[in-house]
Short mmCIF file of all heavy atoms in Angstrom, two decimals:
data_model
loop_
_atom_site.label_atom_id
_atom_site.label_comp_id
_atom_site.label_asym_id
_atom_site.label_seq_id
_atom_site.Cartn_x
_atom_site.Cartn_y
_atom_site.Cartn_z
N TYR A 529 120.65 189.15 1.90
CA TYR A 529 119.88 188.81 3.10
C TYR A 529 119.39 187.38 2.98
O TYR A 529 119.42 186.80 1.90
CB TYR A 529 118.72 189.81 3.28
CG TYR A 529 117.65 189.78 2.20
CD1 TYR A 529 116.55 188.91 2.26
CD2 TYR A 529 117.73 190.65 1.11
CE1 TYR A 529 115.58 188.89 1.27
CE2 TYR A 529 116.76 190.64 0.11
CZ TYR A 529 115.69 189.76 0.19
OH TYR A 529 114.73 189.75 -0.78
N PRO A 530 118.99 186.73 4.08
CA PRO A 530 118.73 187.29 5.43
C PRO A 530 119.94 187.28 6.37
O PRO A 530 119.88 187.90 7.44
CB PRO A 530 117.65 186.35 5.97
CG PRO A 530 117.98 185.02 5.38
CD PRO A 530 118.48 185.32 3.99
N ARG A 531 121.06 186.64 6.00
CA ARG A 531 122.15 186.47 6.97
C ARG A 531 123.46 187.13 6.53
O ARG A 531 124.44 187.08 7.26
CB ARG A 531 122.41 184.96 7.21
CG ARG A 531 121.22 184.26 7.84
CD ARG A 531 121.49 182.80 8.10
NE ARG A 531 120.35 182.20 8.79
CZ ARG A 531 119.28 181.70 8.17
NH1 ARG A 531 119.23 181.70 6.83
NH2 ARG A 531 118.27 181.20 8.85
N GLY A 532 123.48 187.74 5.37
CA GLY A 532 124.70 188.39 4.91
C GLY A 532 125.83 187.42 4.64
O GLY A 532 127.01 187.74 4.84
N LEU A 533 125.50 186.23 4.16
CA LEU A 533 126.53 185.24 3.82
C LEU A 533 127.29 185.72 2.58
O LEU A 533 126.77 186.49 1.77
CB LEU A 533 125.89 183.88 3.54
CG LEU A 533 125.08 183.25 4.67
CD1 LEU A 533 124.47 181.92 4.20
CD2 LEU A 533 125.94 183.04 5.90
N SER A 534 128.51 185.23 2.44
CA SER A 534 129.31 185.63 1.28
C SER A 534 130.05 184.43 0.71
O SER A 534 130.26 183.41 1.39
CB SER A 534 130.32 186.71 1.67
OG SER A 534 131.25 186.21 2.63
N GLY A 535 130.46 184.54 -0.55
CA GLY A 535 131.28 183.54 -1.21
C GLY A 535 130.70 182.15 -1.12
O GLY A 535 129.49 181.94 -1.25
N ASN A 536 131.59 181.21 -0.86
CA ASN A 536 131.18 179.81 -0.80
C ASN A 536 130.42 179.44 0.47
O ASN A 536 129.96 178.31 0.62
CB ASN A 536 132.39 178.89 -0.95
CG ASN A 536 132.98 178.96 -2.35
OD1 ASN A 536 132.30 179.27 -3.31
ND2 ASN A 536 134.27 178.67 -2.45
N ASP A 537 130.28 180.41 1.40
CA ASP A 537 129.43 180.17 2.56
C ASP A 537 127.96 180.12 2.16
O ASP A 537 127.12 179.59 2.89
CB ASP A 537 129.64 181.25 3.63
CG ASP A 537 130.98 181.12 4.33
OD1 ASP A 537 131.55 179.99 4.31
OD2 ASP A 537 131.48 182.11 4.88
N ILE A 538 127.65 180.71 1.01
CA ILE A 538 126.29 180.62 0.47
C ILE A 538 126.15 179.24 -0.17
O ILE A 538 126.95 178.86 -1.02
CB ILE A 538 126.04 181.71 -0.59
CG1 ILE A 538 126.34 183.09 -0.03
CG2 ILE A 538 124.60 181.63 -1.10
CD1 ILE A 538 126.34 184.19 -1.09
N PRO A 539 125.17 178.47 0.20
CA PRO A 539 125.01 177.14 -0.41
C PRO A 539 124.94 177.24 -1.94
O PRO A 539 124.38 178.20 -2.48
CB PRO A 539 123.68 176.64 0.18
CG PRO A 539 123.54 177.38 1.46
CD PRO A 539 124.14 178.73 1.23
N LEU A 540 125.52 176.26 -2.60
CA LEU A 540 125.52 176.25 -4.06
C LEU A 540 124.10 176.35 -4.61
O LEU A 540 123.85 177.05 -5.61
CB LEU A 540 126.20 174.98 -4.58
CG LEU A 540 126.24 174.81 -6.10
CD1 LEU A 540 127.00 175.95 -6.76
CD2 LEU A 540 126.87 173.46 -6.45
N ALA A 541 123.15 175.67 -3.98
CA ALA A 541 121.77 175.72 -4.44
C ALA A 541 121.25 177.15 -4.44
O ALA A 541 120.56 177.58 -5.38
CB ALA A 541 120.89 174.84 -3.55
N GLY A 542 121.58 177.92 -3.40
CA GLY A 542 121.15 179.31 -3.32
C GLY A 542 121.83 180.17 -4.35
O GLY A 542 121.21 181.09 -4.92
N ARG A 543 123.11 179.92 -4.62
CA ARG A 543 123.84 180.71 -5.61
C ARG A 543 123.28 180.48 -7.02
O ARG A 543 123.18 181.40 -7.83
CB ARG A 543 125.33 180.35 -5.57
CG ARG A 543 125.91 180.65 -4.22
CD ARG A 543 127.39 180.63 -4.05
NE ARG A 543 128.21 179.74 -4.77
CZ ARG A 543 128.76 178.62 -4.28
NH1 ARG A 543 128.45 178.24 -3.04
NH2 ARG A 543 129.58 177.89 -4.99
N ILE A 544 122.93 179.22 -7.30
CA ILE A 544 122.34 178.92 -8.61
C ILE A 544 120.96 179.56 -8.72
O ILE A 544 120.62 180.16 -9.75
CB ILE A 544 122.24 177.38 -8.81
CG1 ILE A 544 123.64 176.79 -8.94
CG2 ILE A 544 121.39 177.05 -10.02
CD1 ILE A 544 123.66 175.27 -9.00
N MET A 545 120.15 179.43 -7.66
CA MET A 545 118.81 180.01 -7.68
C MET A 545 118.86 181.52 -7.85
O MET A 545 117.99 182.11 -8.51
CB MET A 545 118.09 179.65 -6.37
CG MET A 545 116.60 179.97 -6.36
SD MET A 545 115.65 178.86 -7.41
CE MET A 545 114.69 180.05 -8.35
N ALA A 546 119.86 182.17 -7.27
CA ALA A 546 119.98 183.62 -7.36
C ALA A 546 120.11 184.07 -8.81
O ALA A 546 119.48 185.05 -9.24
CB ALA A 546 121.17 184.11 -6.54
N VAL A 547 120.93 183.36 -9.59
CA VAL A 547 121.11 183.71 -11.00
C VAL A 547 119.79 183.57 -11.75
O VAL A 547 119.38 184.46 -12.51
CB VAL A 547 122.19 182.82 -11.65
CG1 VAL A 547 122.27 183.07 -13.15
CG2 VAL A 547 123.55 183.08 -11.00
N ALA A 548 119.10 182.45 -11.52
CA ALA A 548 117.83 182.21 -12.19
C ALA A 548 116.79 183.24 -11.79
O ALA A 548 116.05 183.78 -12.63
CB ALA A 548 117.34 180.80 -11.87
N ASP A 549 116.70 183.54 -10.50
CA ASP A 549 115.67 184.43 -9.97
C ASP A 549 115.86 185.85 -10.47
O ASP A 549 114.90 186.51 -10.90
CB ASP A 549 115.72 184.37 -8.44
CG ASP A 549 114.50 184.99 -7.79
OD1 ASP A 549 113.39 184.83 -8.33
OD2 ASP A 549 114.64 185.62 -6.72
N VAL A 550 117.09 186.35 -10.42
CA VAL A 550 117.34 187.74 -10.82
C VAL A 550 117.16 187.91 -12.32
O VAL A 550 116.54 188.88 -12.78
CB VAL A 550 118.75 188.18 -10.38
CG1 VAL A 550 119.07 189.56 -10.96
CG2 VAL A 550 118.84 188.21 -8.86
N TYR A 551 117.68 186.97 -13.11
CA TYR A 551 117.51 187.10 -14.57
C TYR A 551 116.02 187.17 -14.90
O TYR A 551 115.58 188.00 -15.69
CB TYR A 551 118.15 185.93 -15.30
CG TYR A 551 117.84 185.94 -16.78
CD1 TYR A 551 118.53 186.78 -17.66
CD2 TYR A 551 116.81 185.15 -17.30
CE1 TYR A 551 118.22 186.81 -19.01
CE2 TYR A 551 116.48 185.18 -18.65
CZ TYR A 551 117.19 186.01 -19.50
OH TYR A 551 116.87 186.06 -20.85
N ASP A 552 115.23 186.28 -14.30
CA ASP A 552 113.81 186.26 -14.62
C ASP A 552 113.12 187.54 -14.17
O ASP A 552 112.23 188.05 -14.86
CB ASP A 552 113.13 185.06 -13.98
CG ASP A 552 111.76 184.80 -14.58
OD1 ASP A 552 111.71 184.44 -15.78
OD2 ASP A 552 110.75 184.99 -13.89
N ALA A 553 113.51 188.07 -13.02
CA ALA A 553 112.92 189.32 -12.54
C ALA A 553 113.22 190.46 -13.50
O ALA A 553 112.37 191.33 -13.74
CB ALA A 553 113.44 189.64 -11.14
N LEU A 554 114.41 190.46 -14.07
CA LEU A 554 114.80 191.54 -14.97
C LEU A 554 114.03 191.51 -16.28
O LEU A 554 113.59 192.56 -16.78
CB LEU A 554 116.30 191.46 -15.26
CG LEU A 554 117.24 191.73 -14.08
CD1 LEU A 554 118.70 191.46 -14.48
CD2 LEU A 554 117.09 193.17 -13.59
N VAL A 555 113.83 190.33 -16.85
CA VAL A 555 113.21 190.25 -18.18
C VAL A 555 111.68 190.12 -18.11
O VAL A 555 111.01 190.01 -19.15
CB VAL A 555 113.77 189.06 -19.00
CG1 VAL A 555 115.27 189.23 -19.21
CG2 VAL A 555 113.47 187.73 -18.32
N SER A 556 111.12 190.13 -16.89
CA SER A 556 109.68 189.98 -16.73
C SER A 556 109.01 191.30 -16.38
O SER A 556 109.56 192.13 -15.64
CB SER A 556 109.38 188.96 -15.63
OG SER A 556 109.92 187.70 -15.96
N LYS A 557 107.80 191.49 -16.90
CA LYS A 557 107.01 192.67 -16.59
C LYS A 557 106.35 192.48 -15.23
O LYS A 557 105.84 191.40 -14.91
CB LYS A 557 105.94 192.88 -17.65
CG LYS A 557 105.09 194.12 -17.43
CD LYS A 557 104.04 194.26 -18.52
CE LYS A 557 103.15 195.49 -18.26
NZ LYS A 557 102.12 195.66 -19.32
N ARG A 558 106.36 193.50 -14.44
CA ARG A 558 105.70 193.48 -13.15
C ARG A 558 104.82 194.75 -13.03
O ARG A 558 104.99 195.71 -13.79
CB ARG A 558 106.74 193.47 -12.01
CG ARG A 558 107.54 192.16 -11.95
CD ARG A 558 106.66 191.01 -11.48
NE ARG A 558 107.38 189.75 -11.40
CZ ARG A 558 107.35 188.81 -12.33
NH1 ARG A 558 106.66 189.01 -13.43
NH2 ARG A 558 108.01 187.68 -12.16
N VAL A 559 103.91 194.75 -12.05
CA VAL A 559 103.02 195.90 -11.91
C VAL A 559 103.81 197.17 -11.62
O VAL A 559 103.34 198.28 -11.87
CB VAL A 559 101.99 195.65 -10.80
CG1 VAL A 559 101.04 194.56 -11.20
CG2 VAL A 559 102.67 195.31 -9.47
N TYR A 560 105.00 197.02 -11.07
CA TYR A 560 105.80 198.18 -10.69
C TYR A 560 106.93 198.48 -11.66
O TYR A 560 107.70 199.42 -11.45
CB TYR A 560 106.38 197.98 -9.28
CG TYR A 560 107.15 196.68 -9.11
CD1 TYR A 560 108.50 196.60 -9.45
CD2 TYR A 560 106.53 195.55 -8.63
CE1 TYR A 560 109.19 195.42 -9.31
CE2 TYR A 560 107.21 194.36 -8.48
CZ TYR A 560 108.55 194.30 -8.82
OH TYR A 560 109.24 193.12 -8.69
N LYS A 561 107.06 197.69 -12.77
CA LYS A 561 108.13 197.95 -13.73
C LYS A 561 107.84 197.29 -15.06
O LYS A 561 107.02 196.36 -15.16
CB LYS A 561 109.47 197.44 -13.18
CG LYS A 561 109.63 195.94 -13.27
CD LYS A 561 111.03 195.51 -12.88
CE LYS A 561 111.27 194.04 -13.21
NZ LYS A 561 111.31 193.78 -14.66
N SER A 562 108.52 197.75 -16.09
CA SER A 562 108.44 197.13 -17.41
C SER A 562 109.51 196.05 -17.54
O SER A 562 110.50 196.05 -16.78
CB SER A 562 108.65 198.19 -18.50
OG SER A 562 107.66 199.19 -18.42
N ALA A 563 109.31 195.17 -18.48
CA ALA A 563 110.31 194.13 -18.72
C ALA A 563 111.52 194.71 -19.43
O ALA A 563 111.39 195.54 -20.33
CB ALA A 563 109.71 193.01 -19.56
N MET A 564 112.70 194.28 -19.02
CA MET A 564 113.94 194.66 -19.71
C MET A 564 114.15 193.75 -20.91
O MET A 564 113.64 192.62 -20.95
CB MET A 564 115.15 194.52 -18.78
CG MET A 564 115.28 195.56 -17.72
SD MET A 564 116.85 195.33 -16.83
CE MET A 564 116.69 196.64 -15.62
N SER A 565 114.93 194.19 -21.85
CA SER A 565 115.33 193.33 -22.95
C SER A 565 116.36 192.32 -22.44
O SER A 565 116.97 192.52 -21.39
CB SER A 565 115.94 194.15 -24.08
OG SER A 565 117.20 194.68 -23.67
N HIS A 566 116.51 191.25 -23.18
CA HIS A 566 117.50 190.24 -22.81
C HIS A 566 118.89 190.87 -22.73
O HIS A 566 119.67 190.56 -21.82
CB HIS A 566 117.49 189.11 -23.84
CG HIS A 566 118.59 188.12 -23.67
ND1 HIS A 566 118.59 187.17 -22.66
CD2 HIS A 566 119.74 187.91 -24.39
CE1 HIS A 566 119.68 186.43 -22.76
NE2 HIS A 566 120.39 186.85 -23.80
N GLU A 567 119.19 191.75 -23.67
CA GLU A 567 120.52 192.37 -23.71
C GLU A 567 120.75 193.25 -22.48
O GLU A 567 121.85 193.24 -21.90
CB GLU A 567 120.66 193.20 -24.99
CG GLU A 567 120.76 192.38 -26.27
CD GLU A 567 119.44 191.73 -26.65
OE1 GLU A 567 118.38 192.24 -26.22
OE2 GLU A 567 119.46 190.71 -27.38
N GLU A 568 119.73 194.01 -22.08
CA GLU A 568 119.86 194.86 -20.88
C GLU A 568 120.07 193.98 -19.64
O GLU A 568 120.91 194.29 -18.78
CB GLU A 568 118.61 195.71 -20.71
CG GLU A 568 118.45 196.80 -21.74
CD GLU A 568 117.12 197.53 -21.58
OE1 GLU A 568 116.08 196.85 -21.54
OE2 GLU A 568 117.14 198.77 -21.48
N ALA A 569 119.30 192.90 -19.57
CA ALA A 569 119.42 192.00 -18.42
C ALA A 569 120.81 191.37 -18.38
O ALA A 569 121.42 191.24 -17.30
CB ALA A 569 118.35 190.91 -18.50
N MET A 570 121.33 190.99 -19.54
CA MET A 570 122.66 190.39 -19.59
C MET A 570 123.72 191.36 -19.08
O MET A 570 124.65 190.97 -18.36
CB MET A 570 122.99 189.98 -21.03
CG MET A 570 122.19 188.79 -21.54
SD MET A 570 122.59 187.29 -20.64
CE MET A 570 124.31 187.08 -21.11
N SER A 571 123.57 192.63 -19.44
CA SER A 571 124.53 193.64 -18.99
C SER A 571 124.52 193.77 -17.47
O SER A 571 125.58 193.82 -16.82
CB SER A 571 124.20 194.99 -19.63
OG SER A 571 125.07 195.99 -19.17
N ILE A 572 123.32 193.76 -16.88
CA ILE A 572 123.22 193.88 -15.43
C ILE A 572 123.75 192.63 -14.74
O ILE A 572 124.45 192.71 -13.72
CB ILE A 572 121.75 194.14 -15.03
CG1 ILE A 572 121.33 195.54 -15.49
CG2 ILE A 572 121.56 193.99 -13.52
CD1 ILE A 572 119.88 195.86 -15.24
N MET A 573 123.43 191.47 -15.29
CA MET A 573 123.94 190.22 -14.71
C MET A 573 125.46 190.21 -14.72
O MET A 573 126.11 189.81 -13.75
CB MET A 573 123.40 189.02 -15.49
CG MET A 573 121.89 188.84 -15.47
SD MET A 573 121.22 188.42 -13.84
CE MET A 573 121.80 186.73 -13.67
N LEU A 574 126.05 190.67 -15.81
CA LEU A 574 127.51 190.67 -15.93
C LEU A 574 128.13 191.66 -14.94
O LEU A 574 129.19 191.40 -14.36
CB LEU A 574 127.91 191.02 -17.37
CG LEU A 574 129.35 190.73 -17.77
CD1 LEU A 574 129.70 189.26 -17.53
CD2 LEU A 574 129.58 191.09 -19.23
#
């Protein structure tokens, strides 16, 4: 979201930010979840 873009239609800046944002969300503790290990996060990213 918000537009359902795919592939290279997604700006490169957004594609790079997505990797950074999701990895950090996975390995970080939040009020609604525990932090994953680096290895678990790597598996999900892959």
Side-chain angles (χ1 to χ4, degrees):
Y529 65 87
R531 297 181 176 86
L533 301 178
S534 63
N536 291 334
D537 288 338
I538 305 170
L540 178 60
R543 299 192 326 257
I544 292 174
M545 190 72 229
V547 173
D549 194 37
V550 173
Y551 172 80
D552 195 67
L554 293 174
V555 299
S556 299
K557 182 181 178 180
R558 292 290 180 262
V559 292
Y560 53 86
K561 76 173 191 68
S562 300
M564 287 186 182
S565 69
H566 172 74
E567 289 72 23
E568 290 175 308
M570 289 295 295
S571 177
I572 291 176
M573 297 293 289
L574 195 56

